């Protein structure tokens, strides 16, 4: 193996990386070299890494590349994929707690290593050049920044471009979880771009008359009231709002609130004071309240969007004809615990597939206020259409309150009181992260 030209200790030891433990490849290679020299009774000769024909001196540059990686976060090199430390580190102007290093190795070095292994008849064992480079540079990055390596979802991913001598620092998004209460019946959950001007605010060179030039169907939303303070506190350059379902625009979200996650892209401050953020958001509007803000993991987005959840509603109901107490109570008893079949409601048929959905009404109760008005509370399986459970949607929902009473009725006001996981809570500690100690 060492007869074909000078091979540095790291490149020599890397071919036997699966042998013994607690050694660096350079230490392993130095030991092998001495063993061969002792066995052959030959004088010891060191090989300078710069003279190595396999790595062409790159194994002497681990420190240099670690410093280059940390320096890549000063804003001179940014990623198109995802931008912005155990204790956190602020490298350049980016705050992070975890990292990972990847290497794009020069093709020539990979070819040299293949030739080395072929000449020595090695077909198994060892490790690739880029694996060692990742590990050795990674250890040094951790030492420089006081942060931890994370091979699954690091805060920062450093890609070492060896041929070009550059580092691509990809800063992954940060996440804030909480619950919101929507106190207004006039705002949607998320931004609603104008359909007529595609959110531009202009049409045919003139202000769009459909949205008054704003680009939005509604000037405000839960997202627009909650996300900006979080985005500003984290110093990001964009955000996305993820909710555990959504209520109708004319419905309030009260009670325990609806779980949500704000995803901040390219954050520079990954660990803001969430208590201060919560106070800032709540003091800035009377239309929305947030509570329980916490730093969250990437996986919390999928949890919020996919965890099966039941919902509890309170509906004000109006009847077209007088309803007596006995008939009302009998209808509620029939719905309480019933299995409901619902064809896609007419009001959402333009955006939902035509199908029959089967959902459970876990509990239904209510109070008749007068002959033509009532308040009904419904705890149901996720996906149960409440307005249609009351009105029957011209027979598309069975059973329904209207069908059981034999008179037309409709929801005049709807409030969501609770959104809770069917079998487990949204607030699982595995999906939260704490700010590192100062």
């Amino acid at each position: 193996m060492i007869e074909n030209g000078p091979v540095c200790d790291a490149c020599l030891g890397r071919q036997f990386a699966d042998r013994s433990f607690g050694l660096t490849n350079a230490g392993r290679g130095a030991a092998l070299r001495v063993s061969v020299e002792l066995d052959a009774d030959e004088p010891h000769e060191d090989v300078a890494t710069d003279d190595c024909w396999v790595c062409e001196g790159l194994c002497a540059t681990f420190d240099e590349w670690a410093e280059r990686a940390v320096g890549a976060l000063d804003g001179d090199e940014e990623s198109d994929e995802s931008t912005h430390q155990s204790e956190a580190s602020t490298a350049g102007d980016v705050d992070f707690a975890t990292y990972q290093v990847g290497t794009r190795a020069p093709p020539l070095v990979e070819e040299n290593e293949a030739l080395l292994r072929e000449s020595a008849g090695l077909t198994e064992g060892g490790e690739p050049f880029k694996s060692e480079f990742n590990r050795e540079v990674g250890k040094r990055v951790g030492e420089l920044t006081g942060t931890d390596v994370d091979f699954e979802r690091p805060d920062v991913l450093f890609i070492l471009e060896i041929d070009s001598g550059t580092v691509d620092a990809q800063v992954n998004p940060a996440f804030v979880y909480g619950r919101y209460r929507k106190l207004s019946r006039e705002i949607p959950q998320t931004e609603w771009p104008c359909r007529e001007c595609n959110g531009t605010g202009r049409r045919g060179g003139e202000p769009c008359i459909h949205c008054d030039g704003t680009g939005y169907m509604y000037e405000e939303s839960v997202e627009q009231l909650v996300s900006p303070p979080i985005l500003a506190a984290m110093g990001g350059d964009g955000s996305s709002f993820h909710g555990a379902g959504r209520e109708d625009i004319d419905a309030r979200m009260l009670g325990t609130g609806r779980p949500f996650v704000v995803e901040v892209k390219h954050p520079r401050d990954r660990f803001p004071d969430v208590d201060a953020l919560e106070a800032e958001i709540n003091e800035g509007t009377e239309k929305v309240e947030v509570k329980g803000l916490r730093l969250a993991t990437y996986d919390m987005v999928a949890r919020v969007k996919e965890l099966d959840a039941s919902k509890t509603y309170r509906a004000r109901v109006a009847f077209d004809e007088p309803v007596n107490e006995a008939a009302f109570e009998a209808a509620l008893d029939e719905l309480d615990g019933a299995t409901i079949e619902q064809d896609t409601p007419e009001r959402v048929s333009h955006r939902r597939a035509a199908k029959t959905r089967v959902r459970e009404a876990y509990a239904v109760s209510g109070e008749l206020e007068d002959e033509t008005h009532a308040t009904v509370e419904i705890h149901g399986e996720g996906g149960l259409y409440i307005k249609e459970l009351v009105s029957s949607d011209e027979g598309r929902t069975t059973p329904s309150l209207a069908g059981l009473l034999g008179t037309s009725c409709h929801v005049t006001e709807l409030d969501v009181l609770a959104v809770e996981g069917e079998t487990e809570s949204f607030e699982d500690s595995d999906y939260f992260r704490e700010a590192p100690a100062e």
Side-chain angles (χ1 to χ4, degrees):
M1 181 176 290
I2 59 178
E3 291 177 352
N4 296 324
V7 179
C8 71
D9 289 340
C11 288
L12 178 59
R14 191 166 59 251
Q15 313 315 312
F16 305 93
D18 55 328
R19 302 293 183 89
S20 188
F21 300 95
L23 292 171
T24 63
N25 284 334
R28 189 176 287 108
L32 284 169
R33 191 185 307 277
V34 169
S35 295
V36 170
E37 291 168 341
L38 288 172
D39 185 65
D41 194 20
E42 294 180 350
H44 175 66
E45 291 185 13
D46 286 322
V47 174
T49 305
D50 288 343
D51 296 332
C52 178
W53 69 272
V54 180
C55 70
E56 299 187 324
L58 287 173
C59 288
T61 64
F62 298 145
D63 291 334
E64 175 187 336
W65 277 100
E67 293 173 357
R68 190 174 297 172
V70 174
L73 291 175
D74 62 7
D76 293 334
E77 298 181 59
E78 294 184 358
S79 163
D80 291 334
E81 292 185 17
S82 45
T83 307
H84 303 318
Q85 269 177 57
S86 235
E87 294 188 352
S89 172
T90 302
D93 56 356
V94 177
D95 201 20
F96 66 103
T98 61
Y99 69 92
Q100 185 179 359
V101 173
T103 301
R104 292 195 175 100
L108 181 58
V109 171
E110 293 182 323
E111 291 175 11
N112 290 345
E113 188 154 58
L115 287 173
L116 176 67
R117 294 183 63 81
E118 182 180 353
S119 68
L122 296 175
T123 58
E124 297 180 352
E127 70 172 340
F129 166 82
K130 65 180 179 181
S131 294
E132 178 178 24
F133 218 85
N134 291 345
R135 183 179 61 256
E136 293 300 328
V137 174
K139 287 192 299 186
R140 290 160 172 80
V141 169
E143 292 167 357
L144 287 171
T145 61
T147 59
D148 296 325
V149 66
D150 181 345
F151 296 111
E152 295 184 1
R153 188 72 186 180
D155 296 338
V156 177
L157 173 61
F158 299 101
I159 302 297
L160 314 180
E161 304 280 359
I162 304 299
D163 269 345
S164 66
T166 61
V167 176
D168 180 15
Q170 301 179 6
V171 183
N172 283 320
F175 306 89
V176 174
Y177 169 89
R179 285 176 176 260
Y180 73 80
R181 289 161 39 93
K182 182 166 81 76
L183 309 179
S184 168
R185 300 189 189 277
E186 299 178 348
I187 62 173
Q189 182 193 77
T190 55
E191 294 181 351
W192 195 324
C194 175
R195 303 186 197 91
E196 301 298 320
C197 66
N198 294 319
T200 64
R202 302 189 68 79
R203 198 173 177 203
E206 300 292 331
C208 175
I209 60 174
H210 196 68
C211 65
D212 293 329
T214 65
Y216 294 99
M217 297 296 293
Y218 296 85
E219 292 186 10
E220 294 180 314
S221 65
V222 175
E223 177 182 11
Q224 288 164 287
L225 294 170
V226 170
S227 294
I230 297 176
L231 178 62
M234 289 185 147
D237 60 13
S239 66
S240 296
F241 189 94
H242 309 281
R246 66 176 65 220
E247 61 284 327
D248 293 338
I249 294 171
D250 60 356
R252 295 183 299 181
M253 178 69 240
L254 305 177
T256 57
R258 185 181 297 274
F260 72 93
V261 173
V262 173
E263 175 182 351
V264 175
K265 300 170 177 63
H266 307 163
R268 299 188 180 281
D269 182 356
R270 190 172 291 272
F271 306 104
D273 184 336
V274 289
D275 292 334
L277 261 180
E278 185 172 313
E280 179 183 351
I281 293 169
N282 291 337
E283 290 168 3
T285 178
E286 295 181 352
K287 298 179 180 180
V288 174
E289 290 178 356
V290 297
K291 65 178 191 174
L293 290 194
R294 296 184 63 178
L295 302 175
T297 66
Y298 166 80
D299 294 325
M300 182 57 96
V301 173
R303 184 171 181 81
V304 160
K305 296 171 77 70
E306 298 172 8
L307 185 67
D308 290 336
S310 67
K311 285 64 178 276
T312 301
Y313 301 85
R314 181 177 62 218
R316 294 291 306 280
V317 178
F319 307 108
D320 284 2
E321 299 177 4
V323 172
N324 63 51
E325 186 77 33
F328 179 66
E329 290 296 337
L332 295 186
D333 287 344
E334 191 72 21
L335 290 175
D336 187 43
T339 298
I340 313 297
E341 294 187 3
Q342 297 187 301
D343 292 342
T344 300
E346 179 67 23
R347 64 188 173 93
V348 299
S349 60
H350 63 287
R351 55 186 172 87
R352 295 286 174 89
K355 60 186 292 187
T356 300
R357 296 169 174 81
V358 179
R359 297 290 187 271
E360 300 295 320
Y362 298 136
V364 180
S365 61
E367 180 179 347
L368 192 64
E369 298 172 2
D370 57 46
E371 291 182 333
T372 56
H373 297 89
T375 298
V376 179
E377 189 165 305
I378 302 160
H379 177 209
E381 184 179 358
L384 178 65
Y385 290 107
I386 300 303
K387 292 178 178 178
E388 286 68 27
L389 180 62
V390 170
S391 72
S392 91
D393 194 28
E394 299 182 346
R396 293 182 181 85
T397 290
T398 56
S400 68
L401 185 60
L404 293 169
L405 289 172
T407 184
S408 295
C409 56
H410 61 278
V411 173
T412 59
E413 289 183 349
L414 183 65
D415 296 327
V416 188
L417 304 181
V419 178
E420 303 295 343
E422 288 274 12
T423 60
E424 57 184 302
S425 171
F426 282 94
E427 290 83 1
D428 187 317
S429 60
D430 289 343
Y431 294 85
F432 295 117
R433 64 184 304 186
E434 300 295 332
E438 295 293 338

